[in-house]
């Protein structure tokens, strides 16, 4: 089924086997414009921009996921299932749950805890923790070391809700489940990879911190998240 309902690429060859997936379409464009050569845009449906190019002479793609598990659930499934993508690395922002992570710190998700029903509804998975790919995580840890970029390797919280009425609930999630930060997509991505026999990883940059009340601006997030991008780009093949 190519093209798919949400990706207009007419051939599997238009998309590399490894795809970096930021949430924001403009961040996907920023990565393509800043880091890739010989860039070709393969998707513009719903302005969810996707590009394929080369990094250090090696092929890689970048495509936005949108916000939330339903959105990344659609795009990652179509990439894995119909375009035969093997590896998807989410690169996004997160909110810290503890003062142990600072603004702009890079976090590699060893696994994601969630109260979401996404995995149960999609494939009958009833646990509340899903691991990222050990193979990808090991490579990302090696690349971070080689680049001299410090990186936390921790459990994260994937939430369906951005605006919670109980704003202090993060304290219990941190103490009970060991989640050092929150985002909204990794649990669904990890589940799709598990169901389809593919690989998934999640690299995050801390954009705000609920414990310290620090925050970054949208412009700062656009321009200061390059460390996690450089780590992930080393996966180009």
């Amino acid at each position: 089924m190519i093209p798919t309902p949400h990706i207009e690429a007419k051939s599997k060859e238009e998309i590399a086997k490894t795809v970096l997936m930021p949430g924001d379409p403009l961040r996907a464009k920023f990565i393509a414009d800043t880091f890739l050569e010989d860039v070709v845009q393969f998707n513009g449906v719903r302005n969810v921009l996707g590009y394929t190019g080369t990094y250090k002479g090696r092929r890689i793609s970048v495509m936005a996921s949108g916000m939330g598990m339903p959105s990344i659930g659609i795009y990652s499934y179509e990439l894995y299932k119909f375009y035969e993508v093997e590896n998807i690395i989410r690169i996004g922002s997160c909110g810290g749950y503890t003062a142990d992570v600072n603004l702009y710190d890079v976090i590699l998700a060893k696994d994601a805890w969630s109260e979401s029903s996404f995995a149960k509804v999609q494939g009958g998975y009833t646990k509340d923790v899903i691991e990222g790919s050990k193979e990808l995580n090991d490579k990302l840890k090696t690349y971070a070391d080689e680049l001299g970029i410090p990186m936390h390797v921790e459990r994260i919280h994937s939430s369906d809700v951005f605006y919670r009425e109980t704003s202090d609930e993060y304290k219990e999630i941190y103490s009970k489940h060991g989640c050092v930060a929150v985002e909204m997509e990794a649990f669904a991505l990890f589940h799709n990879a598990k169901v389809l026999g593919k690989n998934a990883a999640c690299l995050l940059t801390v954009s705000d911190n609920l414990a310290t009340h620090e925050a970054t601006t949208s412009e700062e997030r656009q321009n200061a998240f390059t460390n996690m991008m450089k780590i992930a780009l080393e996966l180009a093949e």
Side-chain angles (χ1 to χ4, degrees):
M1 188 175 68
I2 294 177
T4 64
H6 308 96
I7 303 174
E8 62 189 345
K10 295 180 175 62
S11 166
K12 292 177 285 189
E13 284 67 38
E14 293 181 46
I15 305 174
K17 295 300 182 184
T18 297
V19 178
L20 306 190
M21 188 160 269
D24 185 352
L26 293 182
R27 195 170 295 156
K29 185 177 188 301
F30 172 83
I31 293 168
D33 291 345
T34 305
F35 295 105
L36 303 187
E37 297 180 340
D38 305 316
V39 176
V40 177
Q41 182 175 329
F42 66 79
N43 195 58
V45 176
R46 295 175 179 253
N47 285 324
V48 176
L49 303 175
Y51 305 90
T52 297
T54 60
Y55 180 72
K56 298 181 179 179
R58 309 191 304 270
R59 199 161 182 259
I60 197 164
S61 295
V62 55
M63 179 179 166
S65 71
M67 289 190 289
M69 286 186 251
S71 187
I72 198 171
I74 290 171
Y75 293 113
S76 63
Y77 192 93
E78 291 184 5
L79 288 170
Y80 283 141
K81 179 76 172 180
F82 304 111
Y83 289 96
E84 298 182 4
V85 167
E86 292 296 325
N87 312 302
I88 296 178
I89 302 89
R90 163 163 158 68
I91 47 175
S93 59
C94 66
Y97 276 174
T98 168
D100 292 337
V101 294
N102 300 311
L103 293 187
Y104 306 120
D105 279 4
V106 177
I107 298 173
L108 173 63
K110 66 177 181 181
D111 53 28
W113 174 84
S114 185
E115 64 276 77
S116 172
S117 62
F118 179 93
K120 182 179 180 180
V121 173
Q122 198 284 332
Y125 185 86
T126 56
K127 298 179 182 179
D128 57 9
V129 173
I130 306 180
E131 299 78 18
S133 163
K134 184 180 185 303
E135 177 185 349
L136 285 185
N137 283 0
D138 287 346
K139 289 180 180 179
L140 291 167
K141 285 186 279 188
T142 298
Y143 296 142
D145 288 342
E146 291 174 351
L147 292 167
I149 299 172
M151 187 168 69
H152 304 270
V153 183
E154 299 284 354
R155 173 172 293 175
I156 60 166
H157 174 205
S158 292
S159 178
D160 278 332
V161 179
F162 190 88
Y163 296 107
R164 288 177 180 254
E165 292 302 308
T166 51
S167 59
D168 283 345
E169 194 173 357
Y170 77 91
K171 296 177 182 177
E172 181 181 352
I173 294 171
Y174 170 59
S175 63
K176 186 175 180 180
H177 301 287
C179 304
V180 303
V182 60
E183 53 84 69
M184 302 185 72
E185 288 84 21
F187 186 79
L189 173 62
F190 291 175
H191 172 73
N192 278 353
K194 186 180 183 71
V195 165
L196 296 171
K198 305 288 187 169
N199 301 310
C202 177
L203 275 174
L204 302 168
T205 300
V206 180
S207 61
D208 58 280
N209 192 303
L210 281 75
T212 65
H213 307 292
E214 296 174 293
T216 59
T217 66
S218 58
E219 184 177 356
E220 287 171 334
R221 289 194 295 273
Q222 178 75 16
N223 298 320
F225 286 8
T226 55
N227 276 346
M228 69 177 172
M229 297 173 187
K230 291 176 182 176
I231 296 168
L233 283 162
E234 290 295 329
L235 289 168
E237 298 177 327

